[in-house]
């Protein structure tokens, strides 16, 4: 069996045609045609008023914080379990990250833990739709709304996921997406900021183009800002992928179903959850192995690698990684976030690329079963 990568896209002739057209024609007066089509189609798909295309999800979080006016002296709460990109922009704007615990079922931010970390300095939370799942949005919104705390929904991994029939990305003041090559919808690298708030949208457009309003022809910058723009070729690729979004999501759910039929009955192995009222798009098929097996995520990855299968570790708690070692808040989180610290050492992401076949999933599952100590 050839080496099985952990992730990868599904590209068809449609994507090749759109990108070829952008390379040939999206210049001069047509330079923004694909951006406009992609942004319009994206906002309609998510069910929000505005969408701004960007070079990454990281930049979308950065601009969200800037547009919300978050800065030095402010605290922003993020789940301890996520990719560092969810939290790094908090430092870019000079605010302090605070790491709250996750829910043991959804693996997303726990509303109970969030409540324990809120202080008078909390100005925003960045909730994360981890691995395509959705947190209890009702409880999280209740906790923040009462206190006037802004919400950024990091839906980088969750395009097409739903909570009570509303799409991931529409639950905060802003929602942010990643189109990195590993994501369900890809533009190679890329991101999107969505919002219903016109003030935040206008501010994001201004900040993404070196502090000048859209349409400015005098190159007359009124603030020092950022250069955060997507290229036409990326926008064309994104549009083609978005026009195929239902089949991309169905394939992800099919891949999960294959894994589930092979692994659901193995005692002490837990796969991604899908609570009633939510739709999980399973960006990464994830398995948590009971500690009783006596093997951790590094051990599993090593043994799977020997069978030509690439896996990824379940995210390490942010409060445990060297990047945050000197942060006082990380010390508190290390003591308090029992769920994050209980699950993370025993979790792995199994191959989840869109080119997987049932045969390959069967090989991965057979290999996985064979490496678990009996
Ligand atoms: C939860 C989460 N947030 C943010 C990001 C950052 O996305 P990007 O790489 O497009 O900046 C990622 C990307 O992997 C992610 O998984």
């Amino acid at each position: 069996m050839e080496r099985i990568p952990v992730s990868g896209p599904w590209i068809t002739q449609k994507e090749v045609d759109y990108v070829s057209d952008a390379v040939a024609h999206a210049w001069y007066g047509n330079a923004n045609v694909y951006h406009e089509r992609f942004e319009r189609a994206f906002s309609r798909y998510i069910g929000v008023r505005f969408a701004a295309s960007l070079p990454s999800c990281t930049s979308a979080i950065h601009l969200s914080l800037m547009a919300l006016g978050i800065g030095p002296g402010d605290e922003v709460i993020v789940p301890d379990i996520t990719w560092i990109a969810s939290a790094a922009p908090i430092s870019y704007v000079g605010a302090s990250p605070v790491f709250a615990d996750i829910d043991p079922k959804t693996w997303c931010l726990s509303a109970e833990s969030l409540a324990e970390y809120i202080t008078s300095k909390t100005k925003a939370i960045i909730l994360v739709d981890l691995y395509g799942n959705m947190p209890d949005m009702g409880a999280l919104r209740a906790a923040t709304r009462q206190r006037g705390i802004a919400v950024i929904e990091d839906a980088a991994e969750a395009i097409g996921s739903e909570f009570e029939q509303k799409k991931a990305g529409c639950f905060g003041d802003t929602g942010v997406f990643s189109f990195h090559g590993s994501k369900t919808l890809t533009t190679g690298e890329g991101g999107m900021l969505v919002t219903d708030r016109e003030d935040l949208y206008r501010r994001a457009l201004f900040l993404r183009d070196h502090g000048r309003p859209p349409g400015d022809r005098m190159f007359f910058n009124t603030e020092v800002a950022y250069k955060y723009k997507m290229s036409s070729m990326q926008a064309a690729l994104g549009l083609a992928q978005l026009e195929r979004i239902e089949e991309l999501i169905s394939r992800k759910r099919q891949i999960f179903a294959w894994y589930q039929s092979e692994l659901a009955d193995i005692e002490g192995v837990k796969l991604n959850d899908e609570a009633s009222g939510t739709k999980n798009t399973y960006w990464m098929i994830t398995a948590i192995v009971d500690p009783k097996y006596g093997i951790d995520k590094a051990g599993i990855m090593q043994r799977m690698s020997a069978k030509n299968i690439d896996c990824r570790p379940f995210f390490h708690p942010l409060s445990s990684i060297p990047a945050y070692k000197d942060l006082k808040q990380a010390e508190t989180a290390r003591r308090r976030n029992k769920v994050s610290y209980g699950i993370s050492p025993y979790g792995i992401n199994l191959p989840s690329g869109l080119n997987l076949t049932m045969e390959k999933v069967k090989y991965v599952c057979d290999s996985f079963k064979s490496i678990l100590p009996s």
Side-chain angles (χ1 to χ4, degrees):
M1 179 70 76
E2 72 204 31
R3 194 156 189 91
I4 301 182
V6 76
S7 63
W10 181 8
I11 302 295
T12 64
Q13 190 59 40
K14 184 186 189 78
E15 284 81 347
V16 174
D17 290 346
Y18 278 33
V19 176
S20 303
D21 183 60
V23 177
H25 302 115
W27 308 104
Y28 302 104
N30 292 325
N32 287 315
V33 166
Y34 274 106
H35 298 86
E36 283 161 14
R37 287 179 65 191
F38 184 32
E39 289 170 350
R40 218 176 311 122
F42 200 88
S43 62
R44 207 175 311 126
Y45 175 69
I46 302 299
V48 289
R49 290 175 68 203
F50 306 107
S53 56
L54 295 166
S56 64
C57 180
T58 307
S59 55
I61 298 172
H62 187 192
L63 291 193
S64 296
L65 291 166
M66 294 288 299
L68 287 163
I70 311 290
D74 297 336
E75 289 179 357
V76 179
I77 300 177
V78 280
D80 212 348
I81 297 290
T82 182
W83 177 229
I84 193 170
S86 306
I90 301 167
S91 304
Y92 303 169
V93 300
S96 303
V98 172
F99 307 113
D101 209 356
I102 56 165
D103 177 86
K105 270 178 86 76
T106 64
W107 308 330
C108 299
L109 183 61
S110 144
E112 245 169 61
S113 176
L114 171 69
E116 287 169 13
Y117 279 102
I118 290 175
T119 71
S120 58
K121 291 184 181 168
T122 309
K123 289 293 174 318
I125 68 163
I126 300 174
L127 62 86
V128 180
D129 304 329
L130 200 83
Y131 301 139
N133 204 1
M134 302 290 286
D136 182 347
M137 290 295 182
L140 293 175
R141 288 204 299 184
T144 49
R145 207 177 265 154
Q146 288 155 10
R147 300 173 175 91
I149 296 169
V151 176
I152 297 168
E153 183 188 356
D154 182 346
E157 303 174 355
I159 188 159
S161 297
E162 293 176 14
F163 180 84
E164 292 176 356
Q165 287 165 5
K166 285 175 72 182
K167 290 256 175 354
C170 74
F171 291 91
D173 292 273
T174 68
V176 295
F177 292 86
S178 171
F179 309 131
H180 174 257
S182 65
K183 296 299 189 290
T184 305
L185 183 163
T186 189
T187 60
E189 293 280 1
M192 192 76 83
L193 183 158
V194 301
T195 183
D196 274 326
R197 284 182 53 180
E198 189 161 358
D199 58 331
L200 299 180
Y201 172 64
R202 301 258 159 244
R203 185 79 183 137
L205 294 186
F206 174 82
L207 291 170
R208 84 171 171 181
D209 193 16
H210 277 312
R212 60 192 194 124
D216 163 47
R217 299 207 166 241
M218 294 307 288
F219 296 83
F220 199 68
N221 314 77
T222 52
E223 274 179 53
V224 176
Y226 307 93
K227 177 63 194 295
Y228 280 161
K229 292 190 78 180
M230 178 181 265
S231 75
S232 293
M233 282 72 81
Q234 289 169 304
L237 179 50
L239 180 65
Q241 290 256 282
L242 187 60
E243 289 177 0
R244 297 182 46 237
I245 190 69
E246 296 309 335
E247 73 176 345
L248 296 177
I249 289 168
S250 301
R251 174 67 66 86
K252 279 287 192 189
R253 289 180 61 83
Q254 173 67 75
I255 291 168
F256 180 75
W258 288 331
Y259 273 107
Q260 203 177 27
S261 71
E262 292 290 332
L263 300 177
D265 295 337
I266 302 184
E267 217 234 297
V269 173
K270 186 173 176 295
L271 300 179
N272 313 54
D273 183 65
E274 184 179 58
S276 86
T278 69
K279 178 179 179 182
N280 191 334
T281 51
Y282 304 111
W283 172 57
M284 279 283 166
I285 315 299
T286 301
I288 312 289
V289 174
D290 195 301
K292 78 174 181 206
Y293 279 107
I295 186 165
D296 67 5
K297 57 188 175 186
I300 297 172
M301 283 173 63
Q302 210 173 16
R303 290 185 195 186
M304 292 293 270
S305 181
K307 293 188 177 287
N308 249 357
I309 299 165
D310 284 332
C311 297
R312 281 174 40 157
F314 195 85
F315 290 122
H316 312 291
L318 290 175
S319 59
S320 73
I321 60 175
Y324 290 115
K325 74 175 183 319
D326 298 329
L327 203 70
K328 199 166 147 278
Q329 210 301 301
E331 208 183 294
T332 314
R334 284 196 287 273
R335 257 187 294 111
R336 284 182 27 187
N337 295 346
K338 301 275 186 262
V339 180
S340 301
Y341 279 81
I343 290 177
S344 171
Y346 305 104
I348 54 155
N349 303 133
L350 293 161
S352 306
L354 285 149
N355 66 349
L356 279 169
T357 58
M358 190 158 79
E359 188 198 0
K360 284 185 180 168
V361 170
K362 173 113 180 46
Y363 173 74
V364 173
C365 292
D366 288 346
S367 304
F368 183 62
K369 288 181 224 175
S370 78
I371 60 122
L372 286 181
S374 45

